[in-house]
Amino acid sequence: MASAQVTGTTAQRPRARGGARAHGRARDWAEIQERMLVPLYQAVYERLEVGAATSLLGLGCRSGLSLLLAAERGAQVAGEELDTELRELAQGRRLRVSHPGHRDRSSGPFPRTAYSLVTLFELWQAPFLRPPGEPERSVALAARLALTGGQVVLAGWGPPERCESAVVLDVARRRAAPSSGCDPFALSTPGALEALLTGAGLRPAGGGRVNCPFAYPDLESAVRGMLSTGVYEAAIDDSGAALVEKELEEALHPFVQPDASVRMANLFRYVVAEKVR
């Protein structure tokens, strides 16, 4: 069985204009950022009693830590990830992760054509929020890939006032053109996740809120971790990496602790829905 230990990779990160690292931040996600969401993954798996009877598909699974944690509980897991570097990192962890456009429908127990649990943990990421209509399409896909009687889980940020990272994420909004930016809190309003699920023909069946503090050993790691979310890519394209990184550091300064570490308290929310037909 694969281990949930975070490991490095030899994949190279492309360089952006001027030599700044504006794109290809897959390694920073895998080594710094994804572990911040472990409380969310574990809370969902505990609630749904994920184990040997579970067949799980992670849509937009990035470098695959959520899949590893499910596999450690005995689940049979597979994932889909659009980003090439993130997908290669997940595959380097011996996970079965494919490109969404090349869904494997081969015979055998895995990969399968339908799953007892489909997760969209990263619905707040830029690829799911841009272009308009993408959240609806992603949730509709999750519904199609769930077995009848199976479950779909959506997750996202809680209310901005309960998330200290909100002021840091606001840099992405301020430095992106209105037509190209995205709002990570677009789905944090009451009923937004439930509306996506019911619109896809699913029946919401409860959910929960989970504290996911973002903690980093130093300011540099915090900047790299936040940039790896993908939320800032439009801002970097529109305003330049140097300016975005400078403003990101300034926004993070209030959260620097006496030992130089950085810590932000955040609340995430998830909703579980059932596929009844």
Side-chain angles (χ1 to χ4, degrees), residues 63-75:
S63 51
L65 182 57
S66 61
L67 299 181
L68 285 174
L69 293 171
E72 287 191 343
R73 293 172 173 265

Side-chain angles (χ1 to χ4, degrees), residues 98-110:
S98 62
H99 187 286
H102 301 87
R103 192 163 299 118
D104 191 337
R105 296 187 179 278
S106 62
S107 60
F110 271 89

Side-chain angles (χ1 to χ4, degrees), residues 29 86 92 98 108-109 112 116 153 169 196 199 216 222 224 254:
W29 172 266
L86 287 166
S98 62
R112 344 168 21 115
S116 66
V153 173
L169 291 164
L196 285 174
Y216 310 89
R224 289 170 56 200

Side-chain angles (χ1 to χ4, degrees), residues 35-119:
R35 69 190 70 184
M36 311 301 174
L37 299 178
V38 167
L40 171 65
Y41 305 150
Q42 298 286 40
V44 170
Y45 296 159
E46 287 284 347
R47 181 186 182 109
L48 300 182
E49 298 182 346
V50 167
T54 306
S55 58
L56 185 152
L57 176 68
L59 294 180
C61 64
R62 296 177 75 82
S63 51
L65 182 57
S66 61
L67 299 181
L68 285 174
L69 293 171
E72 287 191 343
R73 293 172 173 265
Q76 300 178 78
V77 302
E80 293 188 0
E81 173 55 49
L82 183 64
D83 184 90
T84 300
E85 288 185 82
L86 287 166
R87 190 169 63 251
E88 290 174 351
L89 280 168
Q91 292 167 348
R93 291 166 160 176
R94 295 183 289 181
L95 292 166
R96 191 184 296 273
V97 175
S98 62
H99 187 286
H102 301 87
R103 192 163 299 118
D104 191 337
R105 296 187 179 278
S106 62
S107 60
F110 271 89
R112 344 168 21 115
T113 57
Y115 301 79
S116 66
L117 174 60
V118 181
T119 61

Side-chain angles (χ1 to χ4, degrees), residues 14-17 20-25 227 232-233 236-237 241 245:
R15 299 278 178 174
R17 296 186 297 269
R21 292 180 300 138
H23 299 287
R25 304 182 188 275
L227 288 175
Y232 299 87
E233 296 303 312
I236 290 172
D237 287 342
E245 291 187 22

